[in-house]
Amino acid sequence: MALDTSYRLLQEHLDLLTGFPKTESGIEIAILKKIFTAEEAAMAIKLGPKPESIDTFCKRTDIEFAKAEEMLEEMAKKGQIFRMRIPDGVHYSASPFAPGIYEYQLNTIDLELAEMMEVFFNETSEEIVTSNDTQVFRILPVDENISNKMEIMPYDRIKELIRAQRSIAVADCICRKEKRIVGEECKHMDEVCLVFSHMAKYYVENGMARFITVDEAIEVLDKSEKDGLVHSPQNAQRPMAICNCCGCCCGILRGITELNIDASKVIRSDFYAVCDAELCSGCEECLERCHVNAITMVDEIADIKREQCIGCGLCVTTCPTESLKLVRKPSEELFEPPTSMGEVFIRMASEKAQLRESK
């Protein structure tokens, strides 16, 4: 493989994971050149989404063991690929661009990369978030907003997801850091990204996060809710991460508001908010809490666009008259998340392959 073609091949490789499309401007190649050398790009192409040992990798690729060992470990340290340590040794895998490689640049992102990412967002967001039936993230409401009368699976209760974790780490939000670098301040707190299991260990080893306890993680959730942030776990029953997002920085939520993308095509949610007009005082407190502009005032009463509501419940939490509540969608609109993030990536890759074949 000629090294000058490795970046395009890597872009196509990443696009089959969670999406990293080709653009007219070529900004995606500029981003890859910023993060990878040509040799590193050529190596990354050889990795699949399933973690494998160096021995297995070398037998499959005919790459000399010492070279593979050195390069893969260095690439994992740079956030170009994923690394996990298990009892039988170190395993490596390809990482999607986002969530993944982009987030792993937390300690190294500079003005050049931040500006590139803004251009990439404007050119590709609609294609990325609408090209798959399977989405990377879903929305979970504040647990206290879910009625005990509802039959809710454990993976739909965010604090149960936290309590099920053995290793938890917390990191700063890359989206907020990027926006601040380009000169757009955000009022929300930074240290709100929760990562679990092997992902937590990877983040800590790479100096991007610190380990915390279950109680500390729940405190992060509580503080995020008070700060008006949206709980966004990965779209799996066993997520590897939970983001706490704002509409001004999060690429997915910005897609809804800035690019007018249909919320239902962007992110999964089993809930939506409704308003009891007789109780609503017209205080407009809920307007500021909504990150996707799903609420307007009609005759001084909160009017919620059901198709735009992402079911986060932030408006419910601070409603002084308790006129707002969350309702679970009817059974035919519910979606059972894939078991693991590995299954998410496999589904997305299959959907993208079918889409390519149909063109």
Side-chain angles (χ1 to χ4, degrees):
M1 180 199 310
L3 291 180
D4 59 356
T5 68
S6 59
Y7 292 109
R8 178 57 65 199
L9 292 175
L10 179 57
Q11 173 267 313
E12 294 172 350
H13 188 59
L14 295 174
D15 194 39
L16 276 176
L17 294 176
T18 60
F20 191 65
K22 183 179 180 179
T23 68
E24 290 187 8
S25 70
I27 190 64
E28 77 285 1
I29 299 300
I31 290 171
L32 292 179
K33 287 183 176 181
K34 172 76 173 175
I35 297 174
F36 294 81
T37 66
E39 186 178 19
E40 290 165 344
M43 180 69 85
I45 295 164
K46 299 180 185 298
L47 283 167
K50 184 178 180 180
E52 60 183 342
S53 67
I54 300 176
D55 277 332
T56 301
F57 175 79
C58 291
K59 290 175 183 177
R60 182 173 59 78
T61 61
D62 290 327
I63 295 177
E64 192 268 329
F65 184 92
K67 178 181 179 180
E69 183 180 42
E70 180 181 2
M71 278 198 70
L72 292 176
E73 181 58 25
E74 187 62 25
M75 290 172 68
K77 290 179 180 178
K78 291 181 178 180
Q80 299 166 337
I81 60 175
F82 184 64
R83 173 194 60 229
M84 59 187 295
R85 304 188 191 279
I86 57 178
D88 66 346
V90 185
H91 285 53
Y92 299 92
S93 66
S95 174
F97 186 78
I101 294 169
Y102 168 59
E103 283 76 8
Y104 303 157
Q105 307 311 304
L106 182 62
N107 291 337
T108 58
I109 186 171
D110 57 13
L111 180 60
E112 181 182 31
L113 181 56
E115 290 178 338
M116 286 179 179
M117 289 305 304
E118 284 299 297
V119 174
F120 183 73
F121 166 81
N122 288 321
E123 288 195 45
T124 66
S125 283
E126 184 167 6
E127 179 179 350
I128 290 175
V129 300
T130 62
S131 60
N132 281 87
D133 289 332
T134 301
Q135 298 296 335
V136 177
F137 288 100
R138 59 196 178 107
I139 298 294
L140 286 185
V142 180
D143 276 355
E144 287 72 12
N145 288 338
I146 301 177
S147 169
N148 290 328
K149 296 179 181 179
M150 297 182 190
E151 294 184 7
I152 305 297
M153 298 298 291
Y155 54 74
D156 278 335
R157 291 190 179 274
I158 195 161
K159 289 184 179 178
E160 287 195 33
L161 288 178
I162 295 292
R163 294 187 178 101
Q165 305 302 323
R166 294 184 178 179
S167 298
I168 308 174
V170 62
D172 284 349
C173 172
I174 183 73
C175 300
R176 267 170 228 130
K177 184 170 184 177
E178 179 207 306
K179 294 296 280 187
R180 290 194 174 109
I181 287 174
V182 298
E184 299 180 29
E185 283 300 315
C186 173
K187 66 180 181 180
H188 296 289
M189 53 195 288
D190 291 322
E191 197 183 40
V192 294
C193 293
L194 299 171
V195 285
F196 313 127
S197 188
H198 296 293
M199 184 72 73
K201 296 172 184 176
Y202 176 81
Y203 261 75
V204 172
E205 284 185 4
N206 281 15
M208 298 182 290
R210 60 186 179 88
F211 284 122
I212 58 174
T213 65
V214 168
D215 288 342
E216 289 173 321
I218 290 176
E219 184 179 359
V220 169
L221 289 181
D222 291 340
K223 288 181 177 179
S224 296
E225 181 273 316
K226 290 178 181 178
D227 197 33
L229 298 175
V230 177
H231 301 323
S232 306
Q234 292 173 327
N235 191 20
Q237 295 179 28
R238 298 195 303 269
M240 299 291 283
I242 295 175
C243 298
N244 288 287
C245 303
C246 60
C248 56
C249 299
C250 169
I252 295 176
L253 297 184
R254 286 172 62 197
I256 297 172
T257 55
E258 295 180 19
L259 303 179
N260 296 315
I261 301 173
D262 184 343
S264 65
K265 295 180 180 180
V266 174
I267 201 159
R268 293 285 185 178
S269 175
D270 285 348
F271 304 89
Y272 64 96
V274 295
C275 177
D276 185 334
E278 293 185 0
L279 295 178
C280 181
S281 66
C283 70
E284 301 188 6
E285 179 74 22
C286 54
L287 297 184
E288 184 177 350
R289 296 281 281 184
C290 183
H291 288 275
V292 293
N293 301 330
I295 308 175
T296 56
M297 302 303 292
V298 178
D299 296 329
E300 299 185 349
I301 300 296
D303 181 66
I304 302 170
K305 301 173 187 174
R306 186 191 187 288
E307 68 280 1
Q308 193 74 358
C309 178
I310 59 175
C312 65
L314 289 174
C315 60
V316 178
T317 308
T318 56
C319 179
T321 62
E322 299 184 356
S323 62
L324 299 172
K325 68 176 181 178
L326 282 184
V327 175
R328 199 175 191 217
K329 293 178 180 178
S331 58
E332 63 270 17
E333 294 184 35
L334 300 181
F335 173 79
E336 182 175 325
T339 302
S340 66
M341 284 308 295
E343 185 179 343
V344 171
F345 296 148
I346 290 171
R347 286 192 190 185
M348 295 186 75
S350 176
E351 290 165 5
K352 285 184 177 295
Q354 291 176 17
L355 183 62
R356 287 185 180 183
E357 291 175 1
S358 66
K359 291 183 177 180

Short mmCIF file of all heavy atoms in Angstrom, two decimals, residues 197-254:
data_model
loop_
_atom_site.label_atom_id
_atom_site.label_comp_id
_atom_site.label_asym_id
_atom_site.label_seq_id
_atom_site.Cartn_x
_atom_site.Cartn_y
_atom_site.Cartn_z
N SER A 197 -15.31 0.27 33.01
CA SER A 197 -14.64 -0.98 32.67
C SER A 197 -13.30 -0.74 31.98
O SER A 197 -12.50 0.07 32.42
CB SER A 197 -15.58 -1.84 31.81
OG SER A 197 -15.07 -3.12 31.60
N HIS A 198 -13.06 -1.44 30.86
CA HIS A 198 -11.78 -1.31 30.15
C HIS A 198 -11.59 0.10 29.60
O HIS A 198 -10.46 0.58 29.51
CB HIS A 198 -11.70 -2.33 29.01
CG HIS A 198 -11.70 -3.75 29.47
ND1 HIS A 198 -10.66 -4.30 30.17
CD2 HIS A 198 -12.63 -4.74 29.33
CE1 HIS A 198 -10.93 -5.56 30.45
NE2 HIS A 198 -12.12 -5.85 29.95
N MET A 199 -12.69 0.76 29.26
CA MET A 199 -12.59 2.13 28.77
C MET A 199 -12.09 3.06 29.88
O MET A 199 -11.26 3.95 29.63
CB MET A 199 -13.95 2.62 28.26
CG MET A 199 -13.92 4.01 27.63
SD MET A 199 -13.12 4.04 26.03
CE MET A 199 -14.37 3.22 25.03
N ALA A 200 -12.57 2.83 31.11
CA ALA A 200 -12.11 3.64 32.24
C ALA A 200 -10.61 3.46 32.45
O ALA A 200 -9.87 4.42 32.65
CB ALA A 200 -12.88 3.25 33.49
N LYS A 201 -10.15 2.21 32.38
CA LYS A 201 -8.73 1.94 32.57
C LYS A 201 -7.89 2.57 31.47
O LYS A 201 -6.80 3.10 31.71
CB LYS A 201 -8.50 0.43 32.63
CG LYS A 201 -9.19 -0.23 33.84
CD LYS A 201 -9.12 -1.75 33.77
CE LYS A 201 -9.90 -2.38 34.93
NZ LYS A 201 -9.92 -3.86 34.85
N TYR A 202 -8.39 2.53 30.24
CA TYR A 202 -7.69 3.14 29.11
C TYR A 202 -7.56 4.65 29.32
O TYR A 202 -6.49 5.23 29.13
CB TYR A 202 -8.46 2.84 27.82
CG TYR A 202 -7.89 3.49 26.58
CD1 TYR A 202 -6.81 2.93 25.90
CD2 TYR A 202 -8.44 4.66 26.07
CE1 TYR A 202 -6.30 3.52 24.75
CE2 TYR A 202 -7.94 5.26 24.92
CZ TYR A 202 -6.87 4.69 24.28
OH TYR A 202 -6.36 5.28 23.15
N TYR A 203 -8.65 5.29 29.72
CA TYR A 203 -8.63 6.74 29.95
C TYR A 203 -7.63 7.10 31.06
O TYR A 203 -6.86 8.06 30.92
CB TYR A 203 -10.03 7.22 30.34
CG TYR A 203 -10.82 7.83 29.21
CD1 TYR A 203 -11.38 7.03 28.22
CD2 TYR A 203 -11.00 9.20 29.12
CE1 TYR A 203 -12.11 7.59 27.18
CE2 TYR A 203 -11.74 9.77 28.08
CZ TYR A 203 -12.28 8.95 27.11
OH TYR A 203 -12.99 9.50 26.08
N VAL A 204 -7.65 6.37 32.15
CA VAL A 204 -6.77 6.69 33.27
C VAL A 204 -5.31 6.45 32.88
O VAL A 204 -4.43 7.28 33.17
CB VAL A 204 -7.16 5.87 34.52
CG1 VAL A 204 -6.13 6.06 35.63
CG2 VAL A 204 -8.55 6.29 35.01
N GLU A 205 -5.02 5.33 32.22
CA GLU A 205 -3.66 5.04 31.80
C GLU A 205 -3.12 6.11 30.85
O GLU A 205 -1.92 6.42 30.87
CB GLU A 205 -3.60 3.68 31.10
CG GLU A 205 -3.67 2.49 32.05
CD GLU A 205 -3.49 1.17 31.32
OE1 GLU A 205 -3.25 1.18 30.10
OE2 GLU A 205 -3.60 0.12 31.97
N ASN A 206 -4.00 6.67 30.05
CA ASN A 206 -3.57 7.71 29.11
C ASN A 206 -3.65 9.12 29.68
O ASN A 206 -3.49 10.10 28.96
CB ASN A 206 -4.42 7.62 27.83
CG ASN A 206 -3.96 6.50 26.91
OD1 ASN A 206 -3.21 5.64 27.31
ND2 ASN A 206 -4.40 6.53 25.67
N GLY A 207 -3.91 9.22 30.98
CA GLY A 207 -3.89 10.52 31.65
C GLY A 207 -5.05 11.42 31.30
O GLY A 207 -4.96 12.65 31.42
N MET A 208 -6.19 10.83 30.87
CA MET A 208 -7.34 11.64 30.48
C MET A 208 -8.43 11.68 31.54
O MET A 208 -9.39 12.45 31.40
CB MET A 208 -7.95 11.10 29.17
CG MET A 208 -7.02 11.13 27.98
SD MET A 208 -7.83 10.52 26.48
CE MET A 208 -8.00 8.78 26.86
N ALA A 209 -8.32 10.85 32.57
CA ALA A 209 -9.40 10.75 33.56
C ALA A 209 -8.84 10.27 34.89
O ALA A 209 -7.66 9.92 35.00
CB ALA A 209 -10.48 9.77 33.06
N ARG A 210 -9.70 10.27 35.90
CA ARG A 210 -9.32 9.75 37.21
C ARG A 210 -10.41 8.77 37.68
O ARG A 210 -11.59 8.94 37.38
CB ARG A 210 -9.16 10.89 38.23
CG ARG A 210 -10.43 11.71 38.43
CD ARG A 210 -10.18 12.92 39.33
NE ARG A 210 -11.40 13.73 39.50
CZ ARG A 210 -12.32 13.52 40.42
NH1 ARG A 210 -12.16 12.53 41.32
NH2 ARG A 210 -13.40 14.28 40.50
N PHE A 211 -9.98 7.75 38.41
CA PHE A 211 -10.94 6.79 38.93
C PHE A 211 -11.79 7.42 40.02
O PHE A 211 -11.30 8.23 40.83
CB PHE A 211 -10.22 5.57 39.52
CG PHE A 211 -9.68 4.61 38.49
CD1 PHE A 211 -8.33 4.30 38.44
CD2 PHE A 211 -10.53 4.02 37.56
CE1 PHE A 211 -7.83 3.42 37.51
CE2 PHE A 211 -10.04 3.14 36.60
CZ PHE A 211 -8.69 2.84 36.58
N ILE A 212 -13.06 7.05 40.08
CA ILE A 212 -13.95 7.50 41.13
C ILE A 212 -14.82 6.34 41.59
O ILE A 212 -14.88 5.29 40.94
CB ILE A 212 -14.87 8.67 40.66
CG1 ILE A 212 -15.71 8.26 39.44
CG2 ILE A 212 -14.04 9.90 40.35
CD1 ILE A 212 -16.72 9.31 39.01
N THR A 213 -15.49 6.52 42.72
CA THR A 213 -16.36 5.48 43.27
C THR A 213 -17.76 5.59 42.66
O THR A 213 -18.09 6.57 41.98
CB THR A 213 -16.47 5.63 44.79
OG1 THR A 213 -17.13 6.88 45.08
CG2 THR A 213 -15.10 5.61 45.45
N VAL A 214 -18.58 4.58 42.96
CA VAL A 214 -19.98 4.61 42.52
C VAL A 214 -20.69 5.84 43.07
O VAL A 214 -21.41 6.55 42.36
CB VAL A 214 -20.71 3.33 42.94
CG1 VAL A 214 -22.22 3.48 42.75
CG2 VAL A 214 -20.20 2.13 42.15
N ASP A 215 -20.48 6.11 44.37
CA ASP A 215 -21.13 7.27 45.00
C ASP A 215 -20.68 8.58 44.34
O ASP A 215 -21.50 9.49 44.13
CB ASP A 215 -20.83 7.31 46.49
CG ASP A 215 -21.57 6.23 47.26
OD1 ASP A 215 -22.55 5.67 46.72
OD2 ASP A 215 -21.17 5.93 48.40
N GLU A 216 -19.41 8.67 44.01
CA GLU A 216 -18.91 9.88 43.35
C GLU A 216 -19.49 10.02 41.94
O GLU A 216 -19.79 11.12 41.49
CB GLU A 216 -17.38 9.85 43.29
CG GLU A 216 -16.72 10.07 44.63
CD GLU A 216 -15.22 9.86 44.58
OE1 GLU A 216 -14.76 8.93 43.89
OE2 GLU A 216 -14.49 10.62 45.25
N ALA A 217 -19.68 8.89 41.25
CA ALA A 217 -20.26 8.93 39.91
C ALA A 217 -21.71 9.39 39.97
O ALA A 217 -22.16 10.19 39.14
CB ALA A 217 -20.17 7.55 39.26
N ILE A 218 -22.46 8.91 40.97
CA ILE A 218 -23.85 9.35 41.12
C ILE A 218 -23.89 10.84 41.47
O ILE A 218 -24.78 11.57 41.02
CB ILE A 218 -24.56 8.49 42.18
CG1 ILE A 218 -24.76 7.07 41.62
CG2 ILE A 218 -25.91 9.11 42.58
CD1 ILE A 218 -25.37 6.10 42.59
N GLU A 219 -22.91 11.30 42.22
CA GLU A 219 -22.82 12.73 42.53
C GLU A 219 -22.58 13.54 41.25
O GLU A 219 -23.13 14.63 41.09
CB GLU A 219 -21.69 12.99 43.53
CG GLU A 219 -21.60 14.44 43.98
CD GLU A 219 -20.49 14.67 45.01
OE1 GLU A 219 -19.80 13.71 45.38
OE2 GLU A 219 -20.31 15.84 45.41
N VAL A 220 -21.76 13.00 40.33
CA VAL A 220 -21.56 13.66 39.04
C VAL A 220 -22.88 13.77 38.29
O VAL A 220 -23.20 14.82 37.72
CB VAL A 220 -20.52 12.89 38.19
CG1 VAL A 220 -20.50 13.43 36.75
CG2 VAL A 220 -19.13 13.01 38.80
N LEU A 221 -23.68 12.70 38.32
CA LEU A 221 -24.99 12.73 37.67
C LEU A 221 -25.88 13.80 38.29
O LEU A 221 -26.54 14.57 37.58
CB LEU A 221 -25.67 11.37 37.78
CG LEU A 221 -25.12 10.21 36.95
CD1 LEU A 221 -25.96 8.96 37.19
CD2 LEU A 221 -25.09 10.56 35.47
N ASP A 222 -25.91 13.83 39.62
CA ASP A 222 -26.77 14.80 40.31
C ASP A 222 -26.35 16.23 39.99
O ASP A 222 -27.19 17.11 39.74
CB ASP A 222 -26.73 14.55 41.82
CG ASP A 222 -27.42 13.26 42.23
OD1 ASP A 222 -28.25 12.75 41.43
OD2 ASP A 222 -27.13 12.75 43.33
N LYS A 223 -25.04 16.49 40.01
CA LYS A 223 -24.55 17.83 39.71
C LYS A 223 -24.83 18.20 38.25
O LYS A 223 -25.16 19.35 37.94
CB LYS A 223 -23.05 17.92 39.99
CG LYS A 223 -22.69 17.94 41.48
CD LYS A 223 -21.19 18.05 41.67
CE LYS A 223 -20.83 18.14 43.16
NZ LYS A 223 -19.35 18.23 43.36
N SER A 224 -24.71 17.21 37.36
CA SER A 224 -24.99 17.45 35.95
C SER A 224 -26.45 17.81 35.74
O SER A 224 -26.78 18.72 34.96
CB SER A 224 -24.64 16.20 35.12
OG SER A 224 -23.26 15.93 35.17
N GLU A 225 -27.33 17.12 36.44
CA GLU A 225 -28.77 17.41 36.34
C GLU A 225 -29.05 18.82 36.82
O GLU A 225 -29.79 19.59 36.18
CB GLU A 225 -29.57 16.37 37.12
CG GLU A 225 -31.07 16.55 37.07
CD GLU A 225 -31.57 17.49 38.15
OE1 GLU A 225 -31.12 17.36 39.31
OE2 GLU A 225 -32.39 18.37 37.84
N LYS A 226 -28.48 19.21 37.96
CA LYS A 226 -28.69 20.56 38.47
C LYS A 226 -28.12 21.62 37.53
O LYS A 226 -28.63 22.73 37.42
CB LYS A 226 -28.06 20.70 39.86
CG LYS A 226 -28.79 19.90 40.95
CD LYS A 226 -28.10 20.03 42.29
CE LYS A 226 -28.82 19.21 43.36
NZ LYS A 226 -28.13 19.28 44.68
N ASP A 227 -27.05 21.23 36.82
CA ASP A 227 -26.41 22.15 35.88
C ASP A 227 -27.16 22.19 34.54
O ASP A 227 -26.78 22.93 33.64
CB ASP A 227 -24.96 21.72 35.65
CG ASP A 227 -24.12 22.80 35.02
OD1 ASP A 227 -24.35 23.99 35.29
OD2 ASP A 227 -23.22 22.47 34.22
N GLY A 228 -28.21 21.37 34.43
CA GLY A 228 -29.01 21.37 33.21
C GLY A 228 -28.43 20.59 32.07
O GLY A 228 -28.63 20.92 30.90
N LEU A 229 -27.69 19.50 32.37
CA LEU A 229 -27.06 18.69 31.34
C LEU A 229 -27.88 17.43 31.06
O LEU A 229 -28.54 16.88 31.94
CB LEU A 229 -25.64 18.31 31.75
CG LEU A 229 -24.68 19.50 31.94
CD1 LEU A 229 -23.34 19.01 32.48
CD2 LEU A 229 -24.50 20.26 30.64
N VAL A 230 -27.82 16.97 29.82
CA VAL A 230 -28.59 15.82 29.35
C VAL A 230 -27.78 14.54 29.53
O VAL A 230 -26.64 14.45 29.05
CB VAL A 230 -28.95 15.99 27.86
CG1 VAL A 230 -29.69 14.77 27.34
CG2 VAL A 230 -29.78 17.25 27.66
N HIS A 231 -28.35 13.54 30.19
CA HIS A 231 -27.69 12.25 30.37
C HIS A 231 -27.74 11.47 29.05
O HIS A 231 -28.81 11.07 28.60
CB HIS A 231 -28.37 11.43 31.47
CG HIS A 231 -28.39 12.09 32.81
ND1 HIS A 231 -27.36 12.86 33.29
CD2 HIS A 231 -29.33 12.09 33.80
CE1 HIS A 231 -27.65 13.30 34.51
NE2 HIS A 231 -28.84 12.85 34.83
N SER A 232 -26.57 11.20 28.48
CA SER A 232 -26.51 10.54 27.17
C SER A 232 -25.57 9.33 27.22
O SER A 232 -24.38 9.44 26.88
CB SER A 232 -26.01 11.52 26.09
OG SER A 232 -26.79 12.68 26.07
N PRO A 233 -26.07 8.17 27.63
CA PRO A 233 -25.22 6.97 27.59
C PRO A 233 -25.10 6.45 26.17
O PRO A 233 -25.93 6.77 25.30
CB PRO A 233 -25.99 5.98 28.46
CG PRO A 233 -27.42 6.39 28.32
CD PRO A 233 -27.40 7.89 28.18
N GLN A 234 -24.08 5.66 25.92
CA GLN A 234 -23.99 4.97 24.65
C GLN A 234 -25.20 4.06 24.48
O GLN A 234 -25.78 3.59 25.46
CB GLN A 234 -22.69 4.16 24.57
CG GLN A 234 -21.45 5.02 24.52
CD GLN A 234 -20.18 4.20 24.63
OE1 GLN A 234 -20.15 3.18 25.31
NE2 GLN A 234 -19.13 4.65 23.96
N ASN A 235 -25.57 3.80 23.26
CA ASN A 235 -26.81 3.10 22.95
C ASN A 235 -26.67 1.59 23.09
O ASN A 235 -26.88 0.83 22.14
CB ASN A 235 -27.28 3.47 21.54
CG ASN A 235 -28.68 2.99 21.26
OD1 ASN A 235 -29.45 2.72 22.16
ND2 ASN A 235 -29.01 2.87 19.97
N ALA A 236 -26.32 1.16 24.30
CA ALA A 236 -26.17 -0.26 24.59
C ALA A 236 -26.69 -0.55 25.99
O ALA A 236 -26.69 0.34 26.85
CB ALA A 236 -24.71 -0.70 24.47
N GLN A 237 -27.11 -1.78 26.21
CA GLN A 237 -27.56 -2.14 27.55
C GLN A 237 -26.41 -2.11 28.54
O GLN A 237 -26.62 -1.86 29.73
CB GLN A 237 -28.20 -3.54 27.51
CG GLN A 237 -29.46 -3.61 26.67
CD GLN A 237 -30.05 -5.00 26.62
OE1 GLN A 237 -29.88 -5.80 27.55
NE2 GLN A 237 -30.75 -5.31 25.54
N ARG A 238 -25.19 -2.35 28.03
CA ARG A 238 -23.98 -2.23 28.86
C ARG A 238 -23.08 -1.17 28.23
O ARG A 238 -22.10 -1.50 27.55
CB ARG A 238 -23.26 -3.57 28.94
CG ARG A 238 -24.07 -4.69 29.59
CD ARG A 238 -23.17 -5.88 29.97
NE ARG A 238 -22.46 -6.41 28.81
CZ ARG A 238 -22.90 -7.38 28.02
NH1 ARG A 238 -24.08 -7.91 28.25
NH2 ARG A 238 -22.18 -7.81 27.00
N PRO A 239 -23.38 0.09 28.43
CA PRO A 239 -22.58 1.16 27.81
C PRO A 239 -21.19 1.25 28.44
O PRO A 239 -20.99 0.88 29.60
CB PRO A 239 -23.39 2.42 28.09
CG PRO A 239 -24.12 2.11 29.37
CD PRO A 239 -24.45 0.64 29.28
N MET A 240 -20.25 1.73 27.66
CA MET A 240 -18.90 1.96 28.15
C MET A 240 -18.72 3.40 28.62
O MET A 240 -17.69 3.74 29.21
CB MET A 240 -17.87 1.65 27.06
CG MET A 240 -17.88 0.23 26.56
SD MET A 240 -17.27 -0.94 27.80
CE MET A 240 -15.51 -0.65 27.68
N ALA A 241 -19.73 4.25 28.36
CA ALA A 241 -19.60 5.65 28.74
C ALA A 241 -20.97 6.30 28.85
O ALA A 241 -21.93 5.87 28.21
CB ALA A 241 -18.76 6.41 27.71
N ILE A 242 -21.03 7.32 29.69
CA ILE A 242 -22.21 8.18 29.78
C ILE A 242 -21.73 9.62 29.68
O ILE A 242 -20.92 10.07 30.49
CB ILE A 242 -22.97 7.99 31.11
CG1 ILE A 242 -23.56 6.58 31.20
CG2 ILE A 242 -24.08 9.03 31.25
CD1 ILE A 242 -24.23 6.29 32.54
N CYS A 243 -22.21 10.33 28.67
CA CYS A 243 -21.90 11.75 28.54
C CYS A 243 -22.99 12.57 29.21
O CYS A 243 -24.13 12.10 29.34
CB CYS A 243 -21.80 12.15 27.07
SG CYS A 243 -20.50 11.29 26.16
N ASN A 244 -22.66 13.75 29.64
CA ASN A 244 -23.63 14.71 30.15
C ASN A 244 -23.51 15.95 29.30
O ASN A 244 -22.55 16.71 29.41
CB ASN A 244 -23.38 14.98 31.63
CG ASN A 244 -23.76 13.78 32.49
OD1 ASN A 244 -24.93 13.50 32.69
ND2 ASN A 244 -22.76 13.07 33.00
N CYS A 245 -24.50 16.14 28.41
CA CYS A 245 -24.34 17.01 27.25
C CYS A 245 -25.11 18.32 27.34
O CYS A 245 -26.15 18.39 28.02
CB CYS A 245 -24.79 16.26 26.00
SG CYS A 245 -23.91 14.70 25.73
N CYS A 246 -24.63 19.30 26.61
CA CYS A 246 -25.33 20.58 26.48
C CYS A 246 -25.58 20.87 25.01
O CYS A 246 -24.84 20.41 24.13
CB CYS A 246 -24.52 21.71 27.11
SG CYS A 246 -22.89 21.95 26.37
N GLY A 247 -26.61 21.64 24.74
CA GLY A 247 -26.99 21.93 23.37
C GLY A 247 -26.04 22.85 22.63
O GLY A 247 -26.05 22.91 21.40
N CYS A 248 -25.19 23.58 23.37
CA CYS A 248 -24.29 24.52 22.70
C CYS A 248 -22.98 23.88 22.24
O CYS A 248 -22.30 24.44 21.38
CB CYS A 248 -23.99 25.70 23.62
SG CYS A 248 -23.30 25.27 25.23
N CYS A 249 -22.62 22.72 22.79
CA CYS A 249 -21.34 22.10 22.47
C CYS A 249 -21.45 20.70 21.86
O CYS A 249 -20.67 20.35 20.98
CB CYS A 249 -20.46 22.02 23.72
SG CYS A 249 -20.06 23.61 24.48
N CYS A 250 -22.39 19.90 22.33
CA CYS A 250 -22.52 18.51 21.88
C CYS A 250 -22.85 18.45 20.39
O CYS A 250 -23.82 19.07 19.93
CB CYS A 250 -23.61 17.81 22.68
SG CYS A 250 -24.08 16.19 22.04
N GLY A 251 -22.06 17.69 19.64
CA GLY A 251 -22.28 17.60 18.21
C GLY A 251 -23.65 17.05 17.85
O GLY A 251 -24.26 17.48 16.87
N ILE A 252 -24.15 16.10 18.63
CA ILE A 252 -25.45 15.50 18.32
C ILE A 252 -26.58 16.48 18.61
O ILE A 252 -27.47 16.69 17.77
CB ILE A 252 -25.64 14.20 19.12
CG1 ILE A 252 -24.61 13.16 18.66
CG2 ILE A 252 -27.05 13.65 18.95
CD1 ILE A 252 -24.63 11.86 19.43
N LEU A 253 -26.57 17.10 19.78
CA LEU A 253 -27.63 18.05 20.12
C LEU A 253 -27.56 19.29 19.23
O LEU A 253 -28.59 19.86 18.86
CB LEU A 253 -27.54 18.44 21.60
CG LEU A 253 -27.74 17.30 22.60
CD1 LEU A 253 -27.74 17.84 24.03
CD2 LEU A 253 -29.03 16.53 22.33
N ARG A 254 -26.35 19.70 18.88
CA ARG A 254 -26.21 20.84 17.96
C ARG A 254 -26.79 20.51 16.59
O ARG A 254 -27.32 21.39 15.90
CB ARG A 254 -24.74 21.22 17.80
CG ARG A 254 -24.14 21.93 19.01
CD ARG A 254 -22.64 22.08 18.85
NE ARG A 254 -22.30 22.89 17.67
CZ ARG A 254 -21.10 22.92 17.12
NH1 ARG A 254 -20.12 22.15 17.60
NH2 ARG A 254 -20.86 23.68 16.08
#
